[in-house]
Amino acid sequence: MSELRTTAVIAPEDLARQRDYEKSIRAMFASREAHPLACVDTFGCQQNVADGEKLMGMLSEMGFSFTSEPKEADLVILNTCAVREHAEQRVFGNLGILTHSKRENPEQVICLCGCMAQEERVAKRVKESYRHVDLVFGPHALWKFPELLNEVYTTRKRVFSVADEPGAIAEGIPTLRERGVKAWVSIMYGCNNFCSYCIVPYVRGRERSREKACVVEEVRSLIASGYREITLLGQNVNSYGKDLNAGYDFADLLKELDGIEGDYWLRFMSSHPKDASEKLFRVMAGSKHVAHQLHLPFQSGSDRVLAAMNRRYTRAQYTGLIEKARALMPDLVLTSDVIIGFPGETEDEAMETVSLVRELGFDALFTFIYSPRPGTKAAALPDIVPRQEKQRWFDILLDAQNTYSAEKHASYIGKTLRVLVDGESNDKDFPLASRTEGNRLVRLKGEKDLIGQFAEVRITGSNTWALYGEAQGGIPRG
Ligand code: SAM
Ligand code: SF4
Ligand code: F3S
């Protein structure tokens, strides 16, 4: 372990204690005929999905099986997101509904975790008004979930573990991944950027990177066990390594991972434009496995709004980065995040965002109307533009993007592309779902045994959101 690292690492003996709690809970349920059932409902970003896989890994060690039906579960977990108000409202709605299942089964344990749980005002509200919730813990306490659950089972008291902390690194938590095709691998946690609208740094703590040996080993073992696509996760992966003080950055990590033998794609998200470097683009361009795909959120096309958002780059710097990346990777697939209606934004400024979208041509955009998050700097700013007006600007943005996406997708028709078939689709005429190297969705005609394989696909149709095609034959697993 790096001697110079500036962030805390959970001690092996503390982690081992959690494995002991898993065994005690398993023993407690051993006398029952049926396996205990858990219902884990995850909201939010891939980071939270990765945390959900750890929760399920720990539950599996405790002897739990899984159900998607809260009514039949012995344990219900809401793994929450705090990024927008709407996400929070949904969770409070779900918590309300759970009063019924708890009434029918008073033994049921209800747990609220994830980013919302780390917010002081949320924990307080749950403590006072949602008394059927037994366990509340934030992302910082994820590693000690077995201990917290054991406390609930042994004391039958409500347990809250939501202290505000900078956060730490915990290795070796059991993980239950969904299927053997795609895997999420967190390489770092937290965020130091404090964009003025964003709650994430308050609930996920400071940036901390995993030791490179741990990341390399995890990726190597996933590839060896047949995973075909690995996505490296962090709120700002370009900051990877800063706290390790080892002179080793994200581009170095990507290059090292690219050296692992096998047939697979490597992706990563998200990147922050202020830290995206030419070095990174060169590594991507020269790599064998790194997908030529970049998710680089720009948020606004107006320099005044970017400064008010505390993004620390200008429109010109952003376009300069994209020019460099495209010069090195002409086939680059580019996606981004955008916020419309930041407090004080004028119609002209919102239209600067639309003009940047038209100027750069994004393959896809994740678009959001600004949502005030209590405790962030932006939430204290005057915000006088009515929602209806913001919606009008938003619709102009969507229209510009949808027109471009449809044209871009149509340009694929007649081409043959390599895709990774990752499951079934909900379209009976094109029953398989797959992704291109650029992560575009392709619905496919083909046999189910292609799932989990790379395949060559001839593109026969498209719309704004997806491509359609026919498999030309699978490439067997190597
Ligand atoms: N760390 C990533 C980055 O900076 O690129 C983004 C993480 S955030 C979970 C995903 C997206 O949610 C952001 O890029 C932003 O567009 C959006 N977002 C964050 N806070 C928001 C807010 N208060 N209102 C609306 N959208 C928000
Ligand atoms: Fe939020 Fe900004 Fe951090 Fe992304 S970089 S998580 S938008 S504070
Ligand atoms: Fe939401 Fe937390 Fe992710 S706030 S977007 S789940 S980091």
Side-chain angles (χ1 to χ4, degrees):
M1 194 177 299
S2 162
E3 303 260 310
L4 293 167
R5 76 171 303 143
T6 54
T7 45
V9 176
I10 306 294
E13 54 274 24
D14 291 334
L15 291 165
R17 208 173 61 238
Q18 302 309 315
R19 309 293 77 85
D20 292 340
Y21 283 118
E22 285 161 2
K23 287 190 195 117
S24 328
I25 295 175
R26 180 183 271 272
M28 185 187 86
F29 282 114
S31 55
R32 291 176 27 160
E33 267 179 29
H35 281 294
L37 282 177
C39 174
V40 181
D41 204 357
T42 291
F43 303 78
C45 65
Q46 280 75 12
Q47 194 77 64
N48 235 25
V49 173
D51 285 355
E53 292 177 342
K54 291 198 175 98
L55 286 167
M56 291 173 78
M58 291 185 270
L59 288 166
S60 207
E61 294 297 316
M62 296 174 205
F64 279 85
S65 300
F66 298 97
T67 173
S68 54
E69 188 46 70
K71 269 196 187 136
E72 62 182 31
D74 300 279
L75 172 68
V76 180
I77 300 184
L78 299 186
N79 182 25
T80 63
C81 169
V83 82
R84 281 171 289 276
E85 194 183 357
H86 178 69
E88 290 203 357
Q89 280 166 350
R90 267 180 66 199
V91 168
F92 279 116
N94 286 8
L95 274 186
I97 293 168
L98 286 173
T99 50
H100 305 297
S101 64
K102 182 91 171 198
R103 207 170 293 137
E104 277 169 31
N105 174 12
E107 291 297 302
Q108 186 175 61
V109 168
I110 296 176
C111 166
L112 181 90
C113 64
C115 294
M116 260 176 86
Q118 197 67 52
E119 289 180 284
E120 206 180 318
R121 79 189 156 82
V122 170
K124 188 165 175 282
R125 181 168 164 195
V126 172
K127 201 172 241 171
E128 289 166 2
S129 312
Y130 293 80
R131 303 198 59 82
H132 58 301
V133 177
D134 303 280
L135 171 58
V136 179
F137 65 93
H140 297 319
L142 178 76
W143 67 275
K144 57 180 169 186
F145 167 57
E147 181 172 354
L148 300 172
L149 187 59
N150 186 66
E151 194 180 335
V152 172
Y153 280 129
T154 52
T155 66
R156 275 290 158 181
K157 289 196 176 130
R158 305 178 77 201
V159 174
F160 284 72
S161 182
V162 291
D164 186 16
E165 296 170 26
I169 292 276
E171 288 294 347
I173 300 177
T175 304
L176 188 67
R177 290 188 160 94
E178 206 181 292
R179 262 183 289 120
V181 185
K182 296 175 165 199
W184 310 110
V185 174
S186 298
I187 61 165
M188 58 182 303
Y189 306 95
C191 181
N192 288 356
N193 292 320
F194 289 94
C195 302
S196 60
Y197 50 81
C198 185
I199 194 73
V200 172
Y202 300 90
V203 293
R204 289 262 168 186
R206 297 293 63 75
E207 281 175 5
R208 50 219 189 267
S209 310
R210 292 177 66 196
E211 290 289 335
K212 79 157 182 182
C214 298
V215 176
V216 173
E217 192 35 49
E218 185 171 351
V219 173
R220 194 188 299 282
S221 104
L222 288 166
I223 291 167
S225 55
Y227 283 88
R228 289 290 183 246
E229 182 185 294
I230 311 289
T231 304
L232 308 175
L233 296 179
Q235 291 303 340
N236 174 14
V237 290
N238 297 324
S239 286
Y240 175 82
K242 285 187 182 167
D243 57 318
L244 295 172
N245 285 318
Y248 184 88
D249 65 13
F250 178 59
D252 297 323
L253 177 69
L254 208 53
K255 192 166 182 183
E256 185 159 346
L257 294 173
D258 185 53
I260 299 173
E261 287 294 320
D263 193 8
Y264 62 92
W265 280 332
L266 268 180
R267 304 185 190 281
F268 56 88
M269 67 182 295
S270 283
S271 308
H272 192 301
K274 82 176 164 56
D275 300 315
S277 64
E278 190 168 334
K279 178 178 172 188
L280 170 66
F281 301 150
R282 286 195 183 280
V283 167
M284 289 172 74
S287 74
K288 194 166 168 208
H289 303 283
V290 183
H292 286 185
Q293 176 228 334
L294 191 61
H295 181 64
L296 196 63
F298 72 87
Q299 314 296 358
S300 169
S302 148
D303 284 342
R304 193 202 65 79
V305 175
L306 283 172
M309 286 177 163
N310 192 29
R311 289 291 289 181
R312 286 174 278 176
Y313 54 83
T314 61
R315 176 182 176 126
Q317 282 166 335
Y318 185 84
T319 48
L321 270 178
I322 301 305
E323 275 162 23
K324 265 189 205 140
R326 283 180 167 160
L328 288 162
M329 292 172 281
D331 58 343
L332 184 73
V333 168
L334 181 66
T335 59
S336 196
D337 293 349
V338 181
I339 298 176
I340 284 285
F342 183 81
E345 185 174 65
T346 63
E347 178 164 1
D348 283 351
E349 287 166 341
M351 292 309 118
E352 285 186 62
T353 298
V354 177
S355 84
L356 188 59
V357 165
R358 292 204 172 108
E359 182 185 326
L360 290 179
F362 293 89
D363 293 77
L365 272 189
F366 297 88
T367 48
F368 309 102
I369 292 189
Y370 169 75
S371 169
R373 303 287 61 221
T376 61
K377 284 215 167 118
L381 296 173
D383 187 7
I384 51 163
V385 176
R387 168 80 195 200
Q388 224 182 348
E389 183 69 354
K390 291 185 181 184
Q391 186 67 48
R392 193 172 64 75
W393 304 346
F394 187 76
D395 291 344
I396 296 172
L397 174 73
L398 270 196
D399 193 47
Q401 179 57 39
N402 288 347
T403 307
Y404 182 79
S405 292
E407 281 169 14
K408 184 88 199 230
H409 281 169
S411 72
Y412 286 101
I413 295 175
K415 290 189 177 153
T416 299
L417 303 176
R418 191 169 197 243
V419 297
L420 176 61
V421 185
D422 57 10
E424 293 180 45
S425 92
N426 52 8
D427 182 332
K428 67 177 176 15
D429 296 328
F430 293 88
L432 298 179
S434 67
R435 293 275 169 175
T436 65
E437 181 185 327
N439 214 18
R440 310 319 307 139
L441 171 65
V442 185
R443 297 183 196 279
L444 276 191
K445 285 188 198 271
E447 298 302 321
K448 265 194 194 173
D449 61 2
L450 284 178
I451 294 175
Q453 294 190 40
F454 286 108
E456 296 292 323
V457 166
R458 199 170 59 81
I459 303 300
T460 54
S462 72
N463 61 24
T464 308
W465 298 278
L467 303 170
Y468 293 82
E470 279 168 25
Q472 306 290 291
I475 301 163
R477 280 178 166 237

